[in-house]
Amino acid sequence: MSRPQAPWVVFGSQRAVEIEEQVAALEAAGGRSYHLQARDFTDMVSTCDAFAAALGFPGYFGRNWDALVDCLDDLHVHETGGVGIVVVVHGADVLLDAEDLKVLMTTLCLAADRANTDVDPDGCPRERPVVIEHFVFLLDEVEVEQVAAQIEDPDLVVETVDGFLTVTLNLAVWRP
C-alpha cells in the first residue's frame, strides 16, 4: 500500500496483521489513513457523502460515481500527506448484498488507477506527482470467496491470494 501499484482494492479479515502493517508503513512514510464504516454505504449518495466527509471533498462535489472518481483522482498534499492514502472501510460484511457493490469496486479501482499513474486518462503527462491510493475493506465474519462471487465482473480482475481478495481494473477492457 505504500507504492503506486495494484491491487487497488483489498478485502481481508479485520484480524489480518498484514493489513495493519501495510497501513502503518504508509503512515510512517508520511501518508495518511482514513477510516470509514461500511454501514454508511447504504446507497450511492450516502457512499459519496461518507467519502466526501472523510476526505474533505470540495463543496462542488457532485455526489455520484463519476464525481467520486474525479475527486479521488484529484487529491492533493493536504489529504495525502504528499505520499499517499489508504481508505480503510470497517464492517464490510454489510456490503455483501449491496446493490451497487460492483459499481463501487469499479469506481474505486478506476479512481485509484488514475491517481496512481503519471498520465491523465488521455495519455498526457500530469502536472502533479502520482498519488498513492488504495482501499481496504475489512470483513468481520464473511469469507473473501463470498465477496469474490458477488463482484465478479468483466470490468474487474478479482483474485483470491493468501486469504485476501484483490480487485483491480481489467485493463484489457479499460485500455484496449
Side-chain angles (χ1 to χ4, degrees), residues 21-81:
E21 290 171 348
Q22 289 280 327
V23 171
L26 178 69
E27 290 172 336
R32 304 236 167 89
S33 63
Y34 294 90
H35 296 263
L36 288 82
Q37 296 296 322
R39 69 175 176 267
D40 295 333
F41 294 10
T42 57
D43 57 26
M44 177 188 64
V45 172
S46 65
T47 300
C48 289
D49 286 346
F51 275 94
L55 293 166
F57 288 172
Y60 58 81
F61 172 56
R63 297 169 63 202
N64 62 57
W65 299 123
D66 290 334
L68 183 58
V69 168
D70 290 343
C71 280
L72 288 170
D73 177 33
D74 198 28
L75 294 175
H76 298 287
V77 172
H78 173 71
E79 293 85 5
T80 67

Short mmCIF file of all heavy atoms in Angstrom, two decimals, residues 21-81:
data_model
loop_
_atom_site.label_atom_id
_atom_site.label_comp_id
_atom_site.label_asym_id
_atom_site.label_seq_id
_atom_site.Cartn_x
_atom_site.Cartn_y
_atom_site.Cartn_z
N GLU A 21 0.04 -3.76 9.27
CA GLU A 21 1.44 -3.45 8.99
C GLU A 21 1.58 -2.56 7.75
O GLU A 21 2.39 -1.63 7.74
CB GLU A 21 2.24 -4.74 8.81
CG GLU A 21 2.42 -5.51 10.10
CD GLU A 21 3.03 -6.89 9.89
OE1 GLU A 21 3.13 -7.36 8.73
OE2 GLU A 21 3.42 -7.51 10.91
N GLN A 22 0.80 -2.85 6.72
CA GLN A 22 0.86 -2.05 5.49
C GLN A 22 0.37 -0.62 5.74
O GLN A 22 0.97 0.34 5.25
CB GLN A 22 0.01 -2.70 4.40
CG GLN A 22 0.59 -3.98 3.85
CD GLN A 22 1.67 -3.71 2.84
OE1 GLN A 22 1.63 -2.74 2.10
NE2 GLN A 22 2.64 -4.58 2.78
N VAL A 23 -0.71 -0.47 6.49
CA VAL A 23 -1.22 0.86 6.81
C VAL A 23 -0.19 1.62 7.64
O VAL A 23 0.09 2.79 7.37
CB VAL A 23 -2.59 0.78 7.53
CG1 VAL A 23 -3.01 2.14 8.06
CG2 VAL A 23 -3.66 0.21 6.60
N ALA A 24 0.40 0.95 8.61
CA ALA A 24 1.43 1.59 9.45
C ALA A 24 2.64 2.02 8.61
O ALA A 24 3.20 3.09 8.85
CB ALA A 24 1.85 0.63 10.56
N ALA A 25 3.03 1.21 7.64
CA ALA A 25 4.17 1.55 6.78
C ALA A 25 3.87 2.80 5.96
O ALA A 25 4.73 3.68 5.81
CB ALA A 25 4.52 0.38 5.86
N LEU A 26 2.66 2.90 5.43
CA LEU A 26 2.28 4.09 4.67
C LEU A 26 2.31 5.32 5.57
O LEU A 26 2.84 6.36 5.20
CB LEU A 26 0.90 3.92 4.03
CG LEU A 26 0.39 5.13 3.26
CD1 LEU A 26 1.21 5.36 2.00
CD2 LEU A 26 -1.08 4.99 2.93
N GLU A 27 1.75 5.19 6.77
CA GLU A 27 1.73 6.32 7.70
C GLU A 27 3.15 6.71 8.12
O GLU A 27 3.47 7.90 8.23
CB GLU A 27 0.89 5.98 8.92
CG GLU A 27 -0.60 5.92 8.61
CD GLU A 27 -1.44 5.39 9.77
OE1 GLU A 27 -0.89 4.66 10.63
OE2 GLU A 27 -2.64 5.73 9.80
N ALA A 28 4.02 5.73 8.31
CA ALA A 28 5.41 6.00 8.69
C ALA A 28 6.14 6.76 7.59
O ALA A 28 7.07 7.55 7.87
CB ALA A 28 6.15 4.71 9.01
N ALA A 29 5.72 6.56 6.35
CA ALA A 29 6.33 7.26 5.21
C ALA A 29 5.70 8.64 4.99
O ALA A 29 6.05 9.33 4.04
CB ALA A 29 6.20 6.42 3.95
N GLY A 30 4.75 9.02 5.86
CA GLY A 30 4.12 10.33 5.74
C GLY A 30 2.74 10.31 5.11
O GLY A 30 2.10 11.34 4.95
N GLY A 31 2.28 9.13 4.70
CA GLY A 31 0.95 9.01 4.11
C GLY A 31 -0.13 9.05 5.17
O GLY A 31 0.15 9.13 6.37
N ARG A 32 -1.36 8.98 4.72
CA ARG A 32 -2.49 9.10 5.64
C ARG A 32 -3.45 7.92 5.46
O ARG A 32 -3.63 7.40 4.36
CB ARG A 32 -3.25 10.38 5.35
CG ARG A 32 -2.38 11.62 5.42
CD ARG A 32 -2.90 12.64 6.39
NE ARG A 32 -1.92 13.66 6.68
CZ ARG A 32 -1.76 14.78 6.00
NH1 ARG A 32 -2.52 15.02 4.96
NH2 ARG A 32 -0.86 15.65 6.36
N SER A 33 -4.06 7.54 6.58
CA SER A 33 -5.12 6.55 6.51
C SER A 33 -6.42 7.22 6.93
O SER A 33 -6.43 8.08 7.83
CB SER A 33 -4.82 5.35 7.41
OG SER A 33 -4.76 5.74 8.77
N TYR A 34 -7.48 6.85 6.26
CA TYR A 34 -8.82 7.36 6.56
C TYR A 34 -9.70 6.16 6.84
O TYR A 34 -9.64 5.16 6.11
CB TYR A 34 -9.37 8.16 5.37
CG TYR A 34 -8.57 9.42 5.12
CD1 TYR A 34 -7.48 9.42 4.28
CD2 TYR A 34 -8.92 10.61 5.75
CE1 TYR A 34 -6.73 10.58 4.06
CE2 TYR A 34 -8.19 11.77 5.54
CZ TYR A 34 -7.09 11.75 4.70
OH TYR A 34 -6.36 12.89 4.48
N HIS A 35 -10.51 6.24 7.87
CA HIS A 35 -11.34 5.11 8.28
C HIS A 35 -12.81 5.46 8.12
O HIS A 35 -13.27 6.48 8.63
CB HIS A 35 -11.01 4.73 9.73
CG HIS A 35 -9.60 4.25 9.87
ND1 HIS A 35 -9.29 2.91 9.88
CD2 HIS A 35 -8.42 4.91 9.96
CE1 HIS A 35 -7.98 2.77 9.98
NE2 HIS A 35 -7.43 3.98 10.02
N LEU A 36 -13.52 4.59 7.39
CA LEU A 36 -14.95 4.76 7.16
C LEU A 36 -15.66 3.50 7.63
O LEU A 36 -15.04 2.45 7.77
CB LEU A 36 -15.24 4.99 5.67
CG LEU A 36 -14.84 6.35 5.10
CD1 LEU A 36 -13.38 6.39 4.75
CD2 LEU A 36 -15.67 6.63 3.88
N GLN A 37 -16.97 3.60 7.81
CA GLN A 37 -17.80 2.47 8.21
C GLN A 37 -18.66 2.04 7.02
O GLN A 37 -19.36 2.88 6.43
CB GLN A 37 -18.69 2.84 9.39
CG GLN A 37 -17.92 3.16 10.66
CD GLN A 37 -17.15 1.97 11.18
OE1 GLN A 37 -17.60 0.83 11.13
NE2 GLN A 37 -15.95 2.23 11.69
N ALA A 38 -18.62 0.77 6.69
CA ALA A 38 -19.41 0.26 5.56
C ALA A 38 -20.90 0.47 5.77
O ALA A 38 -21.64 0.63 4.80
CB ALA A 38 -19.11 -1.22 5.33
N ARG A 39 -21.35 0.50 7.00
CA ARG A 39 -22.78 0.72 7.27
C ARG A 39 -23.26 2.07 6.73
O ARG A 39 -24.45 2.28 6.55
CB ARG A 39 -23.08 0.59 8.75
CG ARG A 39 -22.51 1.70 9.59
CD ARG A 39 -22.92 1.60 11.07
NE ARG A 39 -22.28 2.63 11.84
CZ ARG A 39 -21.14 2.49 12.50
NH1 ARG A 39 -20.53 1.31 12.50
NH2 ARG A 39 -20.62 3.50 13.17
N ASP A 40 -22.32 2.99 6.46
CA ASP A 40 -22.68 4.30 5.90
C ASP A 40 -22.82 4.26 4.39
O ASP A 40 -23.13 5.27 3.77
CB ASP A 40 -21.62 5.34 6.29
CG ASP A 40 -21.59 5.58 7.79
OD1 ASP A 40 -22.62 5.39 8.46
OD2 ASP A 40 -20.50 5.96 8.29
N PHE A 41 -22.58 3.10 3.77
CA PHE A 41 -22.64 2.96 2.32
C PHE A 41 -23.98 2.35 1.90
O PHE A 41 -24.03 1.38 1.18
CB PHE A 41 -21.52 2.04 1.82
CG PHE A 41 -20.12 2.58 2.01
CD1 PHE A 41 -19.83 3.69 2.76
CD2 PHE A 41 -19.07 1.93 1.40
CE1 PHE A 41 -18.53 4.16 2.91
CE2 PHE A 41 -17.76 2.38 1.54
CZ PHE A 41 -17.50 3.49 2.30
N THR A 42 -25.09 2.93 2.30
CA THR A 42 -26.39 2.34 2.02
C THR A 42 -26.84 2.54 0.57
O THR A 42 -27.62 1.76 0.06
CB THR A 42 -27.47 2.91 2.96
OG1 THR A 42 -27.49 4.34 2.84
CG2 THR A 42 -27.18 2.51 4.40
N ASP A 43 -26.34 3.55 -0.08
CA ASP A 43 -26.65 3.81 -1.49
C ASP A 43 -25.55 4.72 -2.05
O ASP A 43 -24.61 5.07 -1.34
CB ASP A 43 -28.04 4.44 -1.66
CG ASP A 43 -28.21 5.74 -0.89
OD1 ASP A 43 -27.21 6.45 -0.62
OD2 ASP A 43 -29.35 6.07 -0.53
N MET A 44 -25.68 5.09 -3.31
CA MET A 44 -24.64 5.89 -3.96
C MET A 44 -24.41 7.21 -3.24
O MET A 44 -23.26 7.59 -2.96
CB MET A 44 -24.99 6.16 -5.42
CG MET A 44 -23.98 7.06 -6.13
SD MET A 44 -24.51 7.57 -7.76
CE MET A 44 -25.94 8.57 -7.37
N VAL A 45 -25.48 7.93 -2.92
CA VAL A 45 -25.33 9.25 -2.30
C VAL A 45 -24.69 9.13 -0.92
O VAL A 45 -23.77 9.89 -0.59
CB VAL A 45 -26.69 9.98 -2.24
CG1 VAL A 45 -26.58 11.27 -1.43
CG2 VAL A 45 -27.18 10.30 -3.66
N SER A 46 -25.13 8.17 -0.10
CA SER A 46 -24.55 8.04 1.23
C SER A 46 -23.08 7.60 1.14
O SER A 46 -22.25 8.04 1.95
CB SER A 46 -25.35 7.08 2.09
OG SER A 46 -25.30 5.77 1.58
N THR A 47 -22.75 6.77 0.17
CA THR A 47 -21.36 6.37 -0.03
C THR A 47 -20.51 7.58 -0.41
O THR A 47 -19.44 7.80 0.16
CB THR A 47 -21.27 5.28 -1.12
OG1 THR A 47 -22.04 4.15 -0.72
CG2 THR A 47 -19.83 4.87 -1.37
N CYS A 48 -21.01 8.36 -1.33
CA CYS A 48 -20.29 9.57 -1.73
C CYS A 48 -20.15 10.54 -0.57
O CYS A 48 -19.09 11.14 -0.37
CB CYS A 48 -21.02 10.24 -2.91
SG CYS A 48 -20.87 9.34 -4.46
N ASP A 49 -21.21 10.69 0.22
CA ASP A 49 -21.16 11.57 1.39
C ASP A 49 -20.11 11.11 2.40
O ASP A 49 -19.40 11.92 2.99
CB ASP A 49 -22.53 11.66 2.07
CG ASP A 49 -23.53 12.50 1.29
OD1 ASP A 49 -23.12 13.23 0.37
OD2 ASP A 49 -24.74 12.40 1.62
N ALA A 50 -20.01 9.79 2.61
CA ALA A 50 -19.03 9.26 3.56
C ALA A 50 -17.61 9.57 3.09
O ALA A 50 -16.77 10.00 3.89
CB ALA A 50 -19.23 7.75 3.73
N PHE A 51 -17.34 9.38 1.81
CA PHE A 51 -16.01 9.71 1.27
C PHE A 51 -15.76 11.21 1.35
O PHE A 51 -14.67 11.64 1.72
CB PHE A 51 -15.87 9.21 -0.17
CG PHE A 51 -15.44 7.78 -0.27
CD1 PHE A 51 -16.37 6.77 -0.40
CD2 PHE A 51 -14.09 7.43 -0.25
CE1 PHE A 51 -15.99 5.44 -0.49
CE2 PHE A 51 -13.69 6.11 -0.34
CZ PHE A 51 -14.64 5.11 -0.46
N ALA A 52 -16.74 12.01 0.99
CA ALA A 52 -16.59 13.46 0.99
C ALA A 52 -16.28 13.98 2.39
O ALA A 52 -15.40 14.83 2.57
CB ALA A 52 -17.85 14.13 0.44
N ALA A 53 -17.00 13.47 3.39
CA ALA A 53 -16.77 13.93 4.76
C ALA A 53 -15.39 13.51 5.26
O ALA A 53 -14.67 14.32 5.87
CB ALA A 53 -17.86 13.37 5.68
N ALA A 54 -14.99 12.29 4.99
CA ALA A 54 -13.70 11.79 5.47
C ALA A 54 -12.53 12.47 4.79
O ALA A 54 -11.52 12.77 5.43
CB ALA A 54 -13.62 10.27 5.27
N LEU A 55 -12.65 12.72 3.49
CA LEU A 55 -11.53 13.24 2.72
C LEU A 55 -11.61 14.73 2.42
O LEU A 55 -10.74 15.28 1.75
CB LEU A 55 -11.39 12.45 1.41
CG LEU A 55 -10.99 10.99 1.61
CD1 LEU A 55 -11.18 10.18 0.35
CD2 LEU A 55 -9.55 10.89 2.09
N GLY A 56 -12.67 15.38 2.89
CA GLY A 56 -12.77 16.83 2.71
C GLY A 56 -12.94 17.26 1.26
O GLY A 56 -12.29 18.20 0.82
N PHE A 57 -13.81 16.57 0.53
CA PHE A 57 -14.05 16.95 -0.87
C PHE A 57 -14.60 18.37 -0.94
O PHE A 57 -15.27 18.84 -0.01
CB PHE A 57 -15.05 16.00 -1.52
CG PHE A 57 -14.52 14.61 -1.80
CD1 PHE A 57 -15.38 13.62 -2.25
CD2 PHE A 57 -13.19 14.28 -1.64
CE1 PHE A 57 -14.91 12.35 -2.51
CE2 PHE A 57 -12.72 13.00 -1.90
CZ PHE A 57 -13.59 12.03 -2.35
N PRO A 58 -14.39 19.05 -2.06
CA PRO A 58 -14.88 20.43 -2.21
C PRO A 58 -16.41 20.48 -2.27
O PRO A 58 -17.08 19.48 -2.57
CB PRO A 58 -14.27 20.87 -3.54
CG PRO A 58 -13.98 19.60 -4.28
CD PRO A 58 -13.68 18.57 -3.25
N GLY A 59 -16.96 21.65 -2.00
CA GLY A 59 -18.41 21.84 -1.97
C GLY A 59 -19.10 21.53 -3.28
O GLY A 59 -20.28 21.20 -3.31
N TYR A 60 -18.38 21.63 -4.39
CA TYR A 60 -18.99 21.36 -5.70
C TYR A 60 -19.03 19.88 -6.05
O TYR A 60 -19.48 19.50 -7.12
CB TYR A 60 -18.28 22.14 -6.81
CG TYR A 60 -16.79 21.85 -6.93
CD1 TYR A 60 -16.33 20.71 -7.59
CD2 TYR A 60 -15.86 22.71 -6.38
CE1 TYR A 60 -14.97 20.44 -7.69
CE2 TYR A 60 -14.50 22.46 -6.48
CZ TYR A 60 -14.07 21.32 -7.14
OH TYR A 60 -12.73 21.05 -7.25
N PHE A 61 -18.57 19.01 -5.14
CA PHE A 61 -18.59 17.56 -5.37
C PHE A 61 -20.00 17.12 -5.73
O PHE A 61 -20.96 17.40 -5.03
CB PHE A 61 -18.09 16.84 -4.11
CG PHE A 61 -18.24 15.34 -4.15
CD1 PHE A 61 -17.69 14.59 -5.17
CD2 PHE A 61 -18.93 14.69 -3.14
CE1 PHE A 61 -17.82 13.20 -5.19
CE2 PHE A 61 -19.06 13.31 -3.14
CZ PHE A 61 -18.51 12.57 -4.17
N GLY A 62 -20.15 16.41 -6.84
CA GLY A 62 -21.45 16.07 -7.41
C GLY A 62 -22.19 14.90 -6.80
O GLY A 62 -23.30 14.60 -7.20
N ARG A 63 -21.59 14.18 -5.86
CA ARG A 63 -22.26 13.08 -5.16
C ARG A 63 -22.80 12.02 -6.11
O ARG A 63 -23.93 11.57 -5.98
CB ARG A 63 -23.34 13.62 -4.24
CG ARG A 63 -22.78 14.50 -3.16
CD ARG A 63 -23.81 15.26 -2.38
NE ARG A 63 -24.69 14.33 -1.67
CZ ARG A 63 -25.90 14.65 -1.27
NH1 ARG A 63 -26.37 15.86 -1.50
NH2 ARG A 63 -26.64 13.78 -0.63
N ASN A 64 -21.97 11.61 -7.08
CA ASN A 64 -22.30 10.49 -7.96
C ASN A 64 -21.00 9.74 -8.25
O ASN A 64 -19.92 10.19 -7.87
CB ASN A 64 -23.01 10.97 -9.24
CG ASN A 64 -22.16 11.91 -10.07
OD1 ASN A 64 -21.05 11.58 -10.48
ND2 ASN A 64 -22.67 13.11 -10.33
N TRP A 65 -21.11 8.60 -8.91
CA TRP A 65 -19.93 7.75 -9.13
C TRP A 65 -18.84 8.47 -9.92
O TRP A 65 -17.66 8.37 -9.59
CB TRP A 65 -20.32 6.44 -9.80
CG TRP A 65 -21.26 5.59 -9.02
CD1 TRP A 65 -22.48 5.12 -9.44
CD2 TRP A 65 -21.09 5.07 -7.70
NE1 TRP A 65 -23.06 4.36 -8.44
CE2 TRP A 65 -22.24 4.30 -7.36
CE3 TRP A 65 -20.08 5.16 -6.74
CZ2 TRP A 65 -22.39 3.66 -6.14
CZ3 TRP A 65 -20.25 4.52 -5.52
CH2 TRP A 65 -21.38 3.78 -5.24
N ASP A 66 -19.22 9.18 -10.99
CA ASP A 66 -18.22 9.88 -11.80
C ASP A 66 -17.51 10.96 -10.99
O ASP A 66 -16.29 11.13 -11.09
CB ASP A 66 -18.85 10.49 -13.05
CG ASP A 66 -19.29 9.46 -14.06
OD1 ASP A 66 -18.71 8.35 -14.08
OD2 ASP A 66 -20.23 9.74 -14.84
N ALA A 67 -18.27 11.68 -10.19
CA ALA A 67 -17.68 12.73 -9.36
C ALA A 67 -16.76 12.13 -8.29
O ALA A 67 -15.73 12.71 -7.96
CB ALA A 67 -18.78 13.56 -8.71
N LEU A 68 -17.12 10.95 -7.78
CA LEU A 68 -16.27 10.28 -6.81
C LEU A 68 -14.92 9.91 -7.44
O LEU A 68 -13.86 10.13 -6.84
CB LEU A 68 -16.96 9.04 -6.24
CG LEU A 68 -16.22 8.27 -5.15
CD1 LEU A 68 -15.91 9.16 -3.95
CD2 LEU A 68 -17.04 7.06 -4.71
N VAL A 69 -14.96 9.38 -8.66
CA VAL A 69 -13.71 9.08 -9.37
C VAL A 69 -12.88 10.36 -9.51
O VAL A 69 -11.68 10.38 -9.21
CB VAL A 69 -13.99 8.47 -10.77
CG1 VAL A 69 -12.71 8.42 -11.61
CG2 VAL A 69 -14.59 7.09 -10.64
N ASP A 70 -13.51 11.43 -9.96
CA ASP A 70 -12.78 12.68 -10.18
C ASP A 70 -12.15 13.22 -8.90
O ASP A 70 -10.98 13.61 -8.89
CB ASP A 70 -13.70 13.74 -10.78
CG ASP A 70 -14.09 13.44 -12.21
OD1 ASP A 70 -13.42 12.60 -12.86
OD2 ASP A 70 -15.09 14.02 -12.69
N CYS A 71 -12.91 13.23 -7.79
CA CYS A 71 -12.37 13.77 -6.54
C CYS A 71 -11.28 12.87 -5.96
O CYS A 71 -10.28 13.37 -5.43
CB CYS A 71 -13.48 14.00 -5.53
SG CYS A 71 -14.39 15.53 -5.84
N LEU A 72 -11.45 11.56 -6.05
CA LEU A 72 -10.40 10.67 -5.57
C LEU A 72 -9.14 10.78 -6.41
O LEU A 72 -8.02 10.62 -5.91
CB LEU A 72 -10.90 9.22 -5.53
CG LEU A 72 -11.92 8.90 -4.44
CD1 LEU A 72 -12.52 7.52 -4.66
CD2 LEU A 72 -11.29 9.01 -3.05
N ASP A 73 -9.32 11.05 -7.69
CA ASP A 73 -8.17 11.21 -8.59
C ASP A 73 -7.48 12.56 -8.36
O ASP A 73 -6.31 12.72 -8.67
CB ASP A 73 -8.64 11.11 -10.04
CG ASP A 73 -7.53 11.34 -11.04
OD1 ASP A 73 -6.37 10.97 -10.76
OD2 ASP A 73 -7.81 11.88 -12.13
N ASP A 74 -8.18 13.51 -7.79
CA ASP A 74 -7.68 14.88 -7.68
C ASP A 74 -7.27 15.25 -6.26
O ASP A 74 -7.30 16.41 -5.90
CB ASP A 74 -8.74 15.84 -8.19
CG ASP A 74 -8.18 17.20 -8.53
OD1 ASP A 74 -6.99 17.28 -8.88
OD2 ASP A 74 -8.93 18.19 -8.41
N LEU A 75 -6.92 14.27 -5.45
CA LEU A 75 -6.49 14.57 -4.09
C LEU A 75 -5.12 15.23 -4.12
O LEU A 75 -4.28 14.91 -4.96
CB LEU A 75 -6.45 13.30 -3.25
CG LEU A 75 -7.80 12.64 -3.01
CD1 LEU A 75 -7.62 11.33 -2.26
CD2 LEU A 75 -8.75 13.56 -2.25
N HIS A 76 -4.90 16.12 -3.19
CA HIS A 76 -3.64 16.86 -3.15
C HIS A 76 -2.90 16.60 -1.84
O HIS A 76 -3.30 15.78 -1.03
CB HIS A 76 -3.91 18.35 -3.34
CG HIS A 76 -4.53 18.64 -4.67
ND1 HIS A 76 -3.83 18.57 -5.86
CD2 HIS A 76 -5.80 18.94 -5.02
CE1 HIS A 76 -4.64 18.85 -6.87
NE2 HIS A 76 -5.84 19.07 -6.38
N VAL A 77 -1.84 17.34 -1.61
CA VAL A 77 -0.95 17.12 -0.48
C VAL A 77 -1.69 17.13 0.85
O VAL A 77 -1.41 16.33 1.73
CB VAL A 77 0.20 18.14 -0.48
CG1 VAL A 77 1.03 18.05 0.78
CG2 VAL A 77 1.07 17.93 -1.70
N HIS A 78 -2.67 18.02 1.02
CA HIS A 78 -3.38 18.09 2.31
C HIS A 78 -4.00 16.75 2.68
O HIS A 78 -3.88 16.30 3.82
CB HIS A 78 -4.47 19.17 2.26
CG HIS A 78 -5.32 19.18 3.49
ND1 HIS A 78 -4.85 19.62 4.70
CD2 HIS A 78 -6.59 18.77 3.70
CE1 HIS A 78 -5.80 19.49 5.60
NE2 HIS A 78 -6.86 18.99 5.03
N GLU A 79 -4.63 16.09 1.73
CA GLU A 79 -5.30 14.82 2.01
C GLU A 79 -4.33 13.64 1.99
O GLU A 79 -4.56 12.64 2.65
CB GLU A 79 -6.41 14.55 1.00
CG GLU A 79 -7.59 15.49 1.08
CD GLU A 79 -7.36 16.77 0.29
OE1 GLU A 79 -6.33 16.90 -0.41
OE2 GLU A 79 -8.21 17.67 0.40
N THR A 80 -3.27 13.73 1.22
CA THR A 80 -2.40 12.57 1.01
C THR A 80 -1.11 12.61 1.79
O THR A 80 -0.37 11.64 1.78
CB THR A 80 -2.04 12.45 -0.49
OG1 THR A 80 -1.21 13.57 -0.86
CG2 THR A 80 -3.27 12.38 -1.35
N GLY A 81 -0.84 13.74 2.45
CA GLY A 81 0.44 13.86 3.14
C GLY A 81 1.60 13.93 2.17
O GLY A 81 2.75 13.78 2.55
#
